[in-house]
Coordinates of all heavy atoms in Angstrom, one line a residue:
M1 N 112.0 103.7 54.1 CA 112.5 105.0 54.1 C 111.6 106.0 54.8 O 111.6 107.2 54.7 CB 112.7 105.5 52.6 CG 113.9 105.0 51.9 SD 115.4 105.6 52.7 CE 115.7 107.1 51.7
R2 N 110.7 105.5 55.6 CA 109.8 106.4 56.3 C 110.3 106.6 57.7 O 110.7 105.7 58.4 CB 108.4 105.9 56.3 CG 108.1 104.7 57.1 CD 106.8 104.0 56.7 NE 106.7 102.8 57.5 CZ 106.1 102.7 58.6 NH1 105.5 103.7 59.2 NH2 106.0 101.5 59.3
G3 N 110.1 107.9 58.1 CA 110.4 108.2 59.5 C 109.2 108.2 60.3 O 108.1 108.0 59.8
W4 N 109.3 108.3 61.6 CA 108.1 108.5 62.4 C 108.4 109.5 63.5 O 109.5 109.9 63.7 CB 107.8 107.1 63.1 CG 108.9 106.3 63.6 CD1 109.6 105.4 63.0 CD2 109.5 106.4 64.9 NE1 110.6 104.9 63.8 CE2 110.6 105.5 65.0 CE3 109.3 107.2 66.1 CZ2 111.3 105.3 66.2 CZ3 110.0 107.0 67.2 CH2 111.1 106.1 67.2
F5 N 107.3 110.0 64.0 CA 107.4 111.1 65.0 C 107.1 110.6 66.4 O 106.3 109.7 66.6 CB 106.4 112.2 64.7 CG 106.7 113.0 63.4 CD1 106.1 112.7 62.2 CD2 107.6 114.0 63.5 CE1 106.4 113.4 61.1 CE2 107.9 114.8 62.4 CZ 107.3 114.5 61.2
V6 N 107.9 111.2 67.3 CA 107.6 110.9 68.7 C 107.1 112.3 69.3 O 107.8 113.3 69.1 CB 108.8 110.4 69.4 CG1 108.5 110.2 70.9 CG2 109.3 109.1 68.8
I7 N 106.0 112.3 69.9 CA 105.4 113.5 70.4 C 105.3 113.5 71.9 O 104.8 112.5 72.5 CB 104.0 113.8 69.8 CG1 104.1 113.9 68.3 CG2 103.4 115.0 70.4 CD1 102.8 113.9 67.5
C8 N 105.8 114.5 72.5 CA 105.7 114.6 74.0 C 104.3 114.7 74.4 O 103.5 115.5 73.9 CB 106.5 115.8 74.5 SG 106.4 116.0 76.3
G9 N 103.9 113.8 75.3 CA 102.5 113.7 75.7 C 102.1 114.9 76.6 O 100.9 115.0 77.0
S10 N 103.0 115.7 77.0 CA 102.7 116.8 77.9 C 102.8 118.1 77.2 O 101.9 118.9 77.2 CB 103.7 116.7 79.1 OG 103.3 117.6 80.1
C11 N 104.0 118.4 76.6 CA 104.1 119.8 76.0 C 104.0 119.8 74.5 O 104.0 120.8 73.9 CB 105.5 120.3 76.4 SG 106.9 119.6 75.6
G12 N 103.9 118.6 73.9 CA 103.7 118.5 72.5 C 104.9 118.6 71.6 O 104.8 118.7 70.4
R13 N 106.1 118.7 72.3 CA 107.3 118.7 71.5 C 107.4 117.5 70.6 O 107.1 116.4 71.1 CB 108.5 118.8 72.5 CG 109.8 119.1 71.9 CD 110.9 119.3 72.9 NE 112.2 118.8 72.5 CZ 113.2 118.6 73.2 NH1 113.1 118.8 74.5 NH2 114.3 118.2 72.7
K14 N 108.0 117.7 69.5 CA 108.0 116.6 68.5 C 109.4 116.4 68.0 O 110.1 117.3 67.7 CB 107.0 117.0 67.3 CG 106.7 115.9 66.4 CD 105.4 116.2 65.6 CE 105.7 117.2 64.5 NZ 104.5 117.4 63.6
V15 N 109.8 115.1 67.9 CA 111.0 114.8 67.2 C 110.8 113.8 66.1 O 109.9 112.9 66.2 CB 112.1 114.2 68.2 CG1 112.7 115.3 69.1 CG2 111.6 113.1 68.9
E16 N 111.5 114.0 65.0 CA 111.3 113.1 63.9 C 112.5 112.1 64.0 O 113.6 112.4 64.2 CB 111.3 113.8 62.6 CG 111.0 112.8 61.4 CD 111.0 113.5 60.1 OE1 111.3 114.7 60.1 OE2 110.6 112.9 59.1
H17 N 112.1 110.8 63.8 CA 113.1 109.8 63.9 C 113.1 109.1 62.5 O 112.1 108.6 62.0 CB 112.7 108.8 65.0 CG 113.6 107.5 64.9 ND1 113.1 106.3 64.6 CD2 114.9 107.4 65.2 CE1 114.0 105.4 64.6 NE2 115.1 106.0 65.0
S18 N 114.3 109.1 61.9 CA 114.3 108.4 60.6 C 115.1 107.1 60.8 O 115.7 106.9 61.8 CB 115.1 109.3 59.6 OG 116.4 109.4 59.9
H19 N 115.0 106.3 59.8 CA 115.5 104.9 59.9 C 117.0 104.9 60.1 O 117.6 103.9 60.5 CB 115.1 104.1 58.6 CG 115.9 104.5 57.4 ND1 115.7 105.7 56.8 CD2 116.9 103.8 56.7 CE1 116.5 105.8 55.8 NE2 117.2 104.7 55.7
S20 N 117.6 106.0 59.7 CA 119.1 106.0 59.7 C 119.7 106.4 61.1 O 120.9 106.2 61.3 CB 119.6 107.0 58.6 OG 119.1 108.3 58.9
E21 N 118.8 106.9 61.9 CA 119.3 107.3 63.3 C 118.9 106.2 64.3 O 117.7 105.8 64.3 CB 118.8 108.6 63.6 CG 119.2 109.7 62.7 CD 118.3 111.0 62.9 OE1 117.1 110.9 62.6 OE2 118.8 112.0 63.4
P22 N 119.8 105.9 65.2 CA 119.4 105.0 66.3 C 118.4 105.7 67.3 O 118.7 106.9 67.6 CB 120.7 104.6 66.9 CG 121.6 105.7 66.6 CD 121.2 106.3 65.3
P23 N 117.4 105.1 67.7 CA 116.4 105.7 68.6 C 117.0 106.3 69.8 O 116.6 107.3 70.4 CB 115.4 104.6 69.0 CG 115.6 103.5 67.9 CD 117.0 103.7 67.4
C24 N 118.1 105.6 70.3 CA 118.7 106.1 71.6 C 119.4 107.4 71.4 O 119.5 108.2 72.3 CB 119.8 105.0 72.0 SG 121.0 104.7 70.8
E25 N 119.7 107.8 70.1 CA 120.3 109.1 69.9 C 119.2 110.1 69.8 O 119.3 111.2 70.4 CB 121.1 109.0 68.6 CG 122.0 110.2 68.3 CD 123.2 110.3 69.3 OE1 123.7 109.2 69.6 OE2 123.5 111.4 69.7
V26 N 118.2 109.8 69.0 CA 117.1 110.8 68.8 C 116.3 111.1 70.1 O 115.9 112.2 70.3 CB 116.1 110.2 67.7 CG1 115.0 111.2 67.5 CG2 116.9 110.0 66.4
L27 N 116.1 110.0 70.8 CA 115.3 110.1 72.0 C 116.1 110.3 73.3 O 115.6 110.0 74.4 CB 114.3 108.9 72.1 CG 113.3 108.8 71.0 CD1 112.5 107.5 71.1 CD2 112.3 110.0 71.1
K28 N 117.3 110.8 73.2 CA 118.1 110.9 74.3 C 117.4 111.9 75.3 O 117.1 113.0 74.9 CB 119.5 111.5 73.9 CG 120.5 111.6 75.0 CD 121.8 112.1 74.4 CE 122.8 112.3 75.6 NZ 124.0 113.1 75.1
G29 N 117.3 111.5 76.5 CA 116.7 112.4 77.5 C 115.2 112.2 77.6 O 114.5 112.7 78.5
W30 N 114.6 111.5 76.7 CA 113.1 111.3 76.7 C 112.8 110.1 77.6 O 113.6 109.3 77.9 CB 112.6 111.0 75.3 CG 112.5 112.2 74.4 CD1 113.5 113.0 74.0 CD2 111.3 112.7 73.8 NE1 113.0 114.0 73.2 CE2 111.7 113.9 73.1 CE3 110.0 112.3 73.8 CZ2 110.7 114.6 72.4 CZ3 109.0 113.1 73.1 CH2 109.4 114.2 72.4
L31 N 111.5 110.1 78.0 CA 111.0 108.9 78.8 C 109.8 108.3 78.1 O 109.0 109.0 77.6 CB 110.7 109.4 80.2 CG 111.8 110.1 81.0 CD1 111.7 111.6 81.0 CD2 111.8 109.5 82.4
T32 N 109.8 107.0 78.1 CA 108.7 106.3 77.5 C 108.0 105.5 78.5 O 108.6 104.7 79.3 CB 109.1 105.4 76.3 OG1 109.8 106.2 75.4 CG2 107.9 104.8 75.6
V33 N 106.7 105.7 78.6 CA 105.9 105.0 79.6 C 104.9 104.0 78.9 O 104.3 104.4 78.0 CB 105.1 106.0 80.5 CG1 104.1 105.3 81.4 CG2 106.0 106.9 81.2
S34 N 104.9 102.8 79.5 CA 103.9 101.9 79.0 C 102.8 101.7 80.0 O 103.1 101.4 81.2 CB 104.5 100.5 78.7 OG 105.5 100.6 77.7
Y35 N 101.6 102.0 79.6 CA 100.5 102.0 80.6 C 99.7 100.7 80.2 O 98.9 100.7 79.2 CB 99.6 103.3 80.4 CG 98.5 103.4 81.3 CD1 98.3 102.5 82.4 CD2 97.6 104.5 81.2 CE1 97.2 102.7 83.3 CE2 96.5 104.6 82.1 CZ 96.4 103.8 83.1 OH 95.3 103.9 83.9
W36 N 99.9 99.7 81.0 CA 99.2 98.4 80.8 C 97.8 98.5 81.4 O 97.6 98.5 82.6 CB 100.0 97.3 81.5 CG 101.4 97.2 80.9 CD1 102.5 97.8 81.4 CD2 101.8 96.5 79.7 NE1 103.6 97.6 80.6 CE2 103.2 96.7 79.6 CE3 101.1 95.7 78.8 CZ2 103.9 96.2 78.5 CZ3 101.9 95.2 77.8 CH2 103.2 95.4 77.6
K37 N 96.8 98.5 80.5 CA 95.4 98.8 80.9 C 94.6 97.5 81.0 O 93.5 97.5 81.5 CB 94.7 99.7 79.9 CG 95.4 101.1 79.9 CD 94.7 102.0 78.9 CE 94.2 103.2 79.7 NZ 93.5 104.2 78.8
G38 N 95.1 96.4 80.4 CA 94.4 95.2 80.5 C 94.8 94.3 79.3 O 95.8 94.5 78.6
L39 N 94.0 93.3 79.1 CA 94.3 92.3 78.1 C 94.4 93.0 76.7 O 93.5 93.6 76.2 CB 93.2 91.2 78.0 CG 93.5 90.1 77.1 CD1 94.6 89.2 77.5 CD2 92.2 89.2 76.9
E40 N 95.6 92.8 76.1 CA 95.9 93.4 74.8 C 95.6 94.9 74.7 O 95.3 95.4 73.7 CB 95.1 92.6 73.7 CG 95.6 91.2 73.5 CD 94.9 90.5 72.4 OE1 94.1 91.1 71.7 OE2 95.1 89.3 72.2
S41 N 95.7 95.5 75.8 CA 95.5 96.9 75.8 C 96.6 97.6 76.6 O 96.8 97.5 77.8 CB 94.2 97.2 76.6 OG 94.0 98.6 76.7
V42 N 97.5 98.2 75.8 CA 98.6 98.9 76.4 C 98.8 100.2 75.6 O 98.7 100.3 74.4 CB 99.9 98.1 76.3 CG1 100.2 97.6 74.9 CG2 101.0 98.8 76.9
E43 N 99.0 101.3 76.3 CA 99.2 102.6 75.7 C 100.6 103.0 76.0 O 101.2 102.8 77.1 CB 98.2 103.6 76.2 CG 96.8 103.3 75.6 CD 95.8 104.4 76.1 OE1 96.2 105.4 76.7 OE2 94.6 104.2 75.8
H44 N 101.3 103.6 75.0 CA 102.6 104.1 75.2 C 102.6 105.6 75.2 O 102.0 106.2 74.3 CB 103.6 103.5 74.1 CG 103.6 102.0 74.1 ND1 104.4 101.3 75.0 CD2 103.0 101.1 73.3 CE1 104.2 100.0 74.8 NE2 103.4 99.9 73.7
Y45 N 103.3 106.2 76.1 CA 103.4 107.6 76.1 C 104.9 108.0 76.1 O 105.7 107.3 76.7 CB 102.8 108.2 77.4 CG 101.3 107.8 77.5 CD1 100.9 106.7 78.3 CD2 100.3 108.6 76.9 CE1 99.6 106.4 78.4 CE2 99.0 108.3 77.1 CZ 98.6 107.1 77.8 OH 97.3 106.8 77.9
S46 N 105.2 109.1 75.5 CA 106.6 109.6 75.5 C 106.6 111.0 76.0 O 105.7 111.8 75.8 CB 107.1 109.6 74.0 OG 107.2 108.3 73.6
Y47 N 107.7 111.3 76.8 CA 107.8 112.6 77.3 C 109.3 113.1 77.1 O 110.2 112.3 77.3 CB 107.5 112.6 78.8 CG 106.1 112.1 79.0 CD1 105.8 110.8 79.3 CD2 105.0 113.0 78.9 CE1 104.5 110.3 79.4 CE2 103.7 112.6 79.0 CZ 103.5 111.3 79.2 OH 102.2 110.8 79.3
C48 N 109.4 114.4 76.8 CA 110.7 114.9 76.4 C 111.6 115.2 77.6 O 112.8 115.4 77.5 CB 110.6 116.1 75.6 SG 109.9 117.6 76.4
S49 N 111.0 115.2 78.8 CA 111.8 115.5 80.0 C 111.1 114.9 81.2 O 109.9 114.6 81.2 CB 112.0 117.0 80.2 OG 110.7 117.6 80.5
L50 N 111.8 114.9 82.3 CA 111.2 114.4 83.6 C 110.1 115.3 84.0 O 109.1 114.9 84.6 CB 112.3 114.3 84.7 CG 113.2 113.0 84.7 CD1 114.3 113.2 85.7 CD2 112.3 111.8 85.1
S51 N 110.3 116.6 83.8 CA 109.2 117.5 84.3 C 107.9 117.4 83.5 O 106.8 117.5 84.0 CB 109.7 119.0 84.2 OG 110.2 119.3 83.0
C52 N 108.1 117.0 82.2 CA 106.9 116.8 81.4 C 106.2 115.5 81.9 O 105.0 115.4 81.9 CB 107.3 116.6 79.9 SG 107.4 118.3 79.1
L53 N 107.0 114.5 82.2 CA 106.4 113.2 82.7 C 105.7 113.5 84.0 O 104.6 113.0 84.3 CB 107.6 112.2 82.9 CG 107.1 110.9 83.6 CD1 106.1 110.1 82.8 CD2 108.3 110.0 83.9
Q54 N 106.4 114.3 84.9 CA 105.8 114.6 86.1 C 104.4 115.4 86.0 O 103.5 115.1 86.7 CB 106.7 115.5 87.0 CG 106.2 115.7 88.4 CD 107.2 116.5 89.2 OE1 107.9 117.3 88.7 NE2 107.3 116.1 90.5
E55 N 104.4 116.3 85.0 CA 103.1 117.0 84.7 C 102.0 116.0 84.4 O 100.9 116.2 84.8 CB 103.3 118.0 83.6 CG 103.5 119.4 84.0 CD 103.6 120.3 82.8 OE1 102.7 120.3 81.9 OE2 104.6 121.0 82.7
W56 N 102.4 115.1 83.6 CA 101.4 114.1 83.2 C 100.9 113.2 84.4 O 99.8 113.0 84.6 CB 102.0 113.2 82.1 CG 101.0 112.1 81.7 CD1 99.9 112.2 80.9 CD2 101.1 110.7 82.1 NE1 99.3 111.0 80.7 CE2 100.0 110.0 81.4 CE3 101.9 109.9 82.9 CZ2 99.8 108.7 81.6 CZ3 101.7 108.6 83.0 CH2 100.6 108.0 82.4
V57 N 101.9 112.8 85.2 CA 101.6 112.1 86.4 C 100.7 112.9 87.3 O 99.7 112.4 87.8 CB 102.9 111.6 87.1 CG1 102.5 111.0 88.5 CG2 103.6 110.6 86.2
D58 N 101.1 114.1 87.5 CA 100.3 115.0 88.4 C 98.9 115.1 87.9 O 98.0 115.2 88.8 CB 101.0 116.4 88.5 CG 102.2 116.3 89.3 OD1 102.5 115.3 90.0 OD2 103.0 117.4 89.4
S59 N 98.7 115.2 86.6 CA 97.4 115.4 86.1 C 96.5 114.1 86.2 O 95.3 114.1 86.1 CB 97.4 115.8 84.7 OG 97.8 114.8 83.8
H60 N 97.2 113.0 86.5 CA 96.5 111.7 86.6 C 96.4 111.3 88.1 O 95.6 110.4 88.4 CB 97.1 110.6 85.8 CG 96.8 110.7 84.4 ND1 97.4 111.7 83.5 CD2 96.0 110.0 83.6 CE1 96.9 111.5 82.3 NE2 96.1 110.5 82.3
V61 N 97.2 111.9 88.9 CA 97.1 111.6 90.4 C 96.3 112.8 91.0 O 96.8 114.0 90.8 CB 98.5 111.5 91.0 CG1 98.3 111.3 92.5 CG2 99.2 110.3 90.3
P62 N 95.2 112.6 91.6 CA 94.4 113.7 92.2 C 95.2 114.6 93.0 O 95.2 115.8 92.9 CB 93.3 112.9 93.0 CG 93.2 111.6 92.4 CD 94.6 111.2 91.9
K63 N 96.0 114.0 94.0 CA 96.8 114.9 94.8 C 98.0 114.1 95.4 O 97.8 112.9 95.7 CB 96.0 115.6 95.9 CG 95.4 114.6 96.8 CD 94.6 115.3 97.9 CE 93.9 114.3 98.8 NZ 93.1 115.0 99.8
I64 N 99.1 114.8 95.5 CA 100.2 114.2 96.2 C 100.2 114.6 97.7 O 100.1 115.7 98.0 CB 101.5 114.7 95.6 CG1 101.6 114.3 94.1 CG2 102.7 114.1 96.3 CD1 102.7 115.0 93.3
P65 N 100.2 113.6 98.5 CA 100.2 113.9 100.0 C 101.3 114.8 100.4 O 102.4 114.6 100.0 CB 100.3 112.5 100.6 CG 100.0 111.5 99.6 CD 100.3 112.1 98.3
E66 N 100.9 115.8 101.1 CA 101.9 116.8 101.5 C 103.0 116.2 102.3 O 104.2 116.6 102.3 CB 101.3 118.0 102.3 CG 100.9 119.2 101.4 CD 100.4 120.3 102.2 OE1 101.1 120.7 103.2 OE2 99.4 120.9 101.9
V67 N 102.7 115.2 103.1 CA 103.7 114.6 104.0 C 104.8 114.0 103.1 O 106.0 114.1 103.5 CB 103.0 113.4 104.8 CG1 104.1 112.7 105.7 CG2 101.9 114.0 105.7
F68 N 104.4 113.5 102.0 CA 105.4 112.9 101.1 C 106.3 114.0 100.5 O 107.6 113.8 100.5 CB 104.6 112.2 99.9 CG 105.5 111.6 98.9 CD1 106.2 110.4 99.2 CD2 105.7 112.1 97.6 CE1 107.0 109.8 98.2 CE2 106.5 111.5 96.7 CZ 107.1 110.4 97.0
L69 N 105.8 115.1 100.2 CA 106.6 116.2 99.6 C 107.6 116.7 100.7 O 108.7 117.0 100.5 CB 105.8 117.3 99.1 CG 105.0 117.0 97.8 CD1 104.0 118.1 97.5 CD2 105.9 116.7 96.7
R70 N 107.0 116.9 101.9 CA 107.8 117.4 103.1 C 109.0 116.5 103.4 O 110.0 117.0 103.7 CB 106.9 117.6 104.3 CG 106.3 119.0 104.4 CD 106.0 119.3 105.9 NE 105.0 118.4 106.4 CZ 103.6 118.6 106.2 NH1 103.2 119.6 105.6 NH2 102.8 117.7 106.7
S71 N 108.8 115.2 103.3 CA 109.8 114.3 103.7 C 111.0 114.5 102.8 O 112.2 114.3 103.2 CB 109.3 112.8 103.7 OG 109.1 112.4 102.3
F72 N 110.8 114.8 101.5 CA 111.9 115.1 100.6 C 112.6 116.3 101.0 O 113.9 116.3 101.1 CB 111.3 115.4 99.2 CG 111.2 114.1 98.4 CD1 110.0 113.7 97.8 CD2 112.3 113.3 98.2 CE1 109.8 112.6 97.1 CE2 112.1 112.1 97.4 CZ 110.9 111.8 96.9
G73 N 111.9 117.4 101.4 CA 112.5 118.6 101.8 C 113.4 118.4 103.0 O 114.5 119.0 103.1
E74 N 112.9 117.7 103.9 CA 113.7 117.4 105.2 C 115.0 116.7 104.9 O 116.0 117.0 105.4 CB 112.8 116.6 106.2 CG 111.8 117.5 106.9 CD 110.8 116.7 107.6 OE1 110.9 115.5 107.8 OE2 109.8 117.3 108.0
E75 N 114.9 115.8 103.9 CA 116.1 115.0 103.6 C 117.1 115.9 103.0 O 118.3 115.8 103.3 CB 115.7 113.9 102.6 CG 114.9 112.8 103.2 CD 115.5 111.4 102.9 OE1 116.1 111.2 101.8 OE2 115.3 110.5 103.8
D76 N 116.7 116.8 102.1 CA 117.6 117.8 101.5 C 118.3 118.6 102.6 O 119.5 118.9 102.4 CB 116.9 118.7 100.5 CG 116.5 117.9 99.2 OD1 117.1 116.9 99.0 OD2 115.7 118.4 98.5
D77 N 117.6 119.0 103.6 CA 118.2 119.9 104.6 C 119.3 119.2 105.3 O 120.2 119.8 105.7 CB 117.1 120.3 105.6 CG 116.1 121.4 105.0 OD1 116.5 121.9 103.9 OD2 115.1 121.6 105.5
R78 N 119.1 117.9 105.5 CA 120.1 117.2 106.3 C 121.4 116.9 105.6 O 122.4 116.8 106.2 CB 119.5 115.8 106.7 CG 118.9 115.8 108.2 CD 118.4 114.5 108.5 NE 116.9 114.5 108.6 CZ 116.1 113.6 108.0 NH1 116.7 112.6 107.3 NH2 114.8 113.7 108.1
V79 N 121.3 116.9 104.2 CA 122.5 116.6 103.5 C 123.5 117.8 103.4 O 123.4 118.8 103.9 CB 122.1 116.3 102.0 CG1 123.4 116.1 101.2 CG2 121.4 115.0 102.0
Ligands
ZN101 ZN1 107.7 117.8 76.8

């Protein structure tokens, strides 16, 4: 009868999940990342939205090459 909490690793938003609810319903729209760090070492992170996941990624990636960002913009213009 115990529930568990899923906490967004970026903004700290929290959802409670009880045994009676299917995870797919409670965590709709959330993203879960498995970070495989080595033998028997894996960390799981949850994010409530793509932008929260991106924030986390950005904070772990020193910098995104500008060329990469620009190529997205150019594609949008063409469409
Ligand atoms: Zn969040």
Side-chain angles (χ1 to χ4, degrees):
M1 281 294 270
R2 68 196 175 94
W4 43 267
F5 288 99
V6 179
I7 299 167
C8 176
S10 189
C11 73
R13 191 175 147 193
K14 193 160 77 168
V15 287
E16 186 176 8
H17 171 248
S18 70
H19 74 290
S20 58
E21 298 163 294
C24 57
E25 191 69 37
V26 178
L27 293 173
K28 189 180 173 191
W30 282 62
L31 299 104
T32 304
V33 174
S34 297
Y35 185 6
W36 300 91
K37 300 181 117 180
L39 186 67
E40 289 183 8
S41 176
V42 57
E43 289 182 7
H44 300 283
Y45 303 94
S46 296
Y47 301 94
C48 67
S49 67
L50 276 172
S51 55
C52 279
L53 173 63
Q54 187 175 34
E55 256 182 58
W56 177 77
V57 171
D58 285 352
S59 71
H60 283 74
V61 177
K63 60 179 177 182
I64 300 169
E66 263 187 50
V67 179
F68 180 72
L69 292 175
R70 265 203 299 274
S71 69
F72 272 125
E74 280 165 15
E75 291 231 327
D76 284 344
D77 288 345
R78 261 181 253 131
V79 173

